[in-house]
Amino acid sequence: MDLKSLKKQESKRKISKGYMWALFCAVFWGIWYLPGTVVWVLNPFDEMYSAIAETGGDGSALIVTAVLITAFNALTVMLALMLWNGVLGKYGELVRTMKEFNPCSKWFFLASIFGGPMAILGSFIAMGFIGGAFAAVAALLYPVVGSVLAYYWYGEKISKRAAIGIGVIILGGITIFGGGLMTELSSGNVQWIGYLGGLMAAAGWGIEGAIAGKGLDISEPDVGLTLRFLGENIIWWIIVVPVLAILGYPMYSFALQAFEPMTLLVLIFAGITFGFCYVCWYKSFPLIGVGRGQGIGNLYGLFAIIFIFLFFGDVPQWSILVGGTLCVIGSFAMITEDTSALETLRGE
Amino acid sequence: MSGKRPMKFRILELFLDGNEHWNYEIVSKIQEEYDMRSNFHRDSINFDILELASGGMLKDVEQKVDEDGIYKKGFLLHRYVITDFGKSRGSDACLRYV
């Protein structure tokens, strides 16, 4: 075969593989909202919620319960990723990368602060207070935060097209948040903390992406993601959970009760879907570019709504549907850029 | 070389000489240094190079068909050179301790 047709064949193979990874990411990410929503009504988390709510009020009960759920989520994601790295034979690389704290792994630990206590905790709060569909669609705003940060911080280009996409996504975001708020304002009962959770998810994931990118540039993503979740586990299990326990919240007694089959199953399901959505996400980037990888990945919002409808029978509010559609259109506007410009994403 | 660095650090380090290198040269050098000789590892190291290129640190400057099967018979071979961004990231990461 000659050079030209071989080049064509290679790029075709790369693109179809890249789209496959990105689509897997979207499916896994969308599915994650199922265990994320279900876990709230399972023991020990529902008991924990009502036990704390009796003495401390609904707000603190929700946040403390969300902390424990997020901590377990981090733990099961870590398990899934350790298994994955084992299969790939990357433990050696894991240790080598971890040792490079200053040039590399510090970025993962920094990213985990925004990814964990901000984005994932915010998502669980939004799921618990408002619902899975809202949580999923609200987080669709993260590329706006991410690309603005990347622009100011390391000069990543924002093309005209991407700017239009960002504008459409913001419109979608206003619809998602505004529609829900209006309904609740008229009924006089606004779940502010749930909306705050949605914003935390969007901002947290945007910031996480921009920071983690600094380390992921020069490391293997499978390894980098594992270190990022190692950081999150340290934050929850070594810092936050013990501090809350000292403050008098019954963290450990309820944490130990999580080891019953149904709860464990749901938590492991959350860990696998969440862990692999991250892995697939990063695998797609070198093949089709970060913009397209994220754009296709963002279809997770759509998948989440579909899965939630199929499994729970919940039809989301019109504002979530319209806003979510705008966000997906916006991310596609961001991704259908000229291919040649995507080969290199950064200004040289 | 004692205390190996992460693989991408080493790949960037090899490119920091400023010369153009073929992917198969880099892959086989890394395979040897890290004692990872399986085909699976070969592809995984090559994917690291792809990632560095898509991150804007390496630039694909030339391709040729692997007629003789030096790397993968019938597939494309790529020749890369480090970019300015790659130089600055690479020297941040690699040269600090050299």
Side-chain angles (χ1 to χ4, degrees):
Chain A
M1 225 187 304
D2 64 332
L3 192 60
K4 207 173 154 195
S5 59
L6 210 54
K7 266 189 197 170
K8 220 182 206 166
Q9 191 197 42
E10 190 187 72
S11 98
K12 222 171 157 186
R13 198 179 293 136
K14 258 170 90 168
I15 287 172
S16 63
K17 257 194 190 163
Y19 278 116
M20 185 195 74
W21 284 114
L23 204 63
F24 274 137
C25 160
V27 172
F28 279 130
W29 196 346
I31 292 179
W32 178 68
Y33 288 90
L34 294 178
T37 309
V38 168
V39 78
W40 280 96
V41 297
L42 288 180
N43 271 327
F45 302 110
D46 67 332
E47 275 177 20
M48 182 181 182
Y49 178 82
S50 33
I52 300 173
E54 261 175 41
T55 52
D58 282 347
S60 63
L62 185 112
I63 292 169
V64 173
T65 310
V67 164
L68 194 61
I69 292 175
T70 316
F72 271 108
N73 182 71
L75 199 63
T76 50
V77 171
M78 186 76 195
L79 285 176
L81 288 177
M82 285 307 282
L83 198 71
W84 175 247
N85 277 287
V87 172
L88 297 180
K90 286 195 175 171
Y91 289 146
E93 182 72 6
L94 191 67
V95 175
R96 282 194 287 271
T97 308
M98 187 156 62
K99 281 189 194 153
E100 303 288 344
F101 182 74
N102 219 14
C104 194
S105 52
K106 73 169 177 205
W107 298 112
F108 300 132
F109 293 121
L110 203 61
S112 69
I113 297 175
F114 292 96
M118 201 164 170
I120 304 181
L121 182 69
S123 291
F124 277 115
I125 289 176
M127 277 184 253
F129 248 92
I130 302 184
F134 169 77
V137 172
L140 280 172
L141 286 167
Y142 83 90
V144 176
V145 180
S147 37
V148 170
L149 272 178
Y151 174 76
Y152 281 110
W153 198 14
Y154 38 75
E156 209 163 278
K157 296 170 209 160
I158 297 183
S159 63
K160 210 172 174 186
R161 195 102 198 206
I164 295 171
I166 288 172
V168 176
I169 296 176
I170 290 176
L171 273 182
I174 293 171
T175 319
I176 298 157
F177 281 84
L181 267 176
M182 293 237 269
T183 331
E184 293 198 346
L185 277 175
S186 59
S187 70
N189 177 28
V190 184
Q191 312 268 27
W192 289 111
I193 198 160
Y195 291 100
L196 183 69
L199 281 179
M200 278 164 68
W205 268 319
I207 299 170
E208 179 196 351
I211 295 175
K214 290 277 253 185
L216 284 162
D217 269 357
I218 49 170
S219 66
E220 294 200 334
D222 306 304
V223 163
L225 293 173
T226 311
L227 292 176
R228 176 238 171 277
F229 276 95
L230 178 69
E232 193 179 327
N233 275 292
I234 292 172
I235 292 173
W236 295 123
W237 294 106
I238 301 191
I239 303 170
V240 180
V241 171
V243 166
L244 287 174
I246 291 167
L247 291 175
Y249 290 105
M251 305 305 282
Y252 293 117
S253 57
F254 283 109
L256 287 173
Q257 289 174 43
F259 293 92
E260 54 176 275
M262 187 60 191
T263 308
L264 268 190
L265 197 71
V266 170
L267 285 170
I268 288 171
F269 189 42
I272 291 173
T273 52
F274 204 73
F276 286 114
C277 95
Y278 264 83
V279 167
C280 296
W281 210 41
Y282 280 102
K283 290 269 178 252
S284 76
F285 292 166
L287 299 171
I288 51 175
V290 179
R292 278 192 252 188
Q294 291 194 346
I296 304 284
N298 278 356
L299 288 174
Y300 85 85
L302 224 59
F303 285 118
I305 290 176
I306 294 169
F307 291 135
I308 287 169
F309 172 70
L310 287 179
F311 284 84
F312 305 145
D314 290 346
V315 181
Q317 265 187 311
W318 69 268
S319 56
I320 289 181
L321 290 176
V322 173
T325 312
L326 281 174
C327 287
V328 171
I329 292 173
S331 32
F332 270 93
M334 284 174 88
I335 62 173
T336 41
E337 288 180 56
D338 188 21
T339 346
S340 59
L342 274 165
E343 239 174 73
T344 310
L345 288 144
R346 296 214 175 101
E348 275 178 28
Chain B
M1 191 179 150
S2 65
K4 289 190 200 86
R5 319 287 308 271
M7 254 175 268
K8 282 193 183 173
F9 283 37
R10 183 65 186 135
I11 295 171
L12 280 176
E13 202 173 25
L14 291 172
F15 275 101
L16 273 172
D17 63 5
N19 296 330
E20 297 175 353
H21 296 280
W22 287 99
N23 64 330
Y24 62 87
E25 296 168 347
I26 298 292
V27 169
S28 59
K29 195 157 170 52
I30 298 281
Q31 276 190 292
E32 200 177 304
E33 283 183 10
Y34 288 78
D35 195 22
M36 303 200 305
R37 285 156 216 273
S38 68
N39 284 351
F40 173 76
H41 282 124
R42 177 196 65 194
D43 292 346
S44 132
I45 296 164
N46 194 51
F47 202 79
D48 284 348
I49 298 176
L50 272 181
E51 281 176 345
L52 288 170
S54 88
M57 280 166 279
L58 299 178
K59 199 171 153 202
D60 192 350
V61 283
E62 191 190 339
Q63 301 86 30
K64 70 177 182 197
V65 184
D66 186 358
E67 309 270 14
D68 314 321
I70 16 176
Y71 179 68
K72 261 182 170 179
K73 201 177 160 98
F75 282 77
L76 277 185
L77 299 167
H78 294 264
R79 191 176 200 175
Y80 295 95
V81 68
I82 196 162
T83 62
D84 288 340
F85 177 64
K87 275 181 198 153
S88 82
R89 294 294 279 129
S91 42
D92 273 1
C94 307
L95 295 181
R96 190 161 295 173
Y97 310 102
V98 175

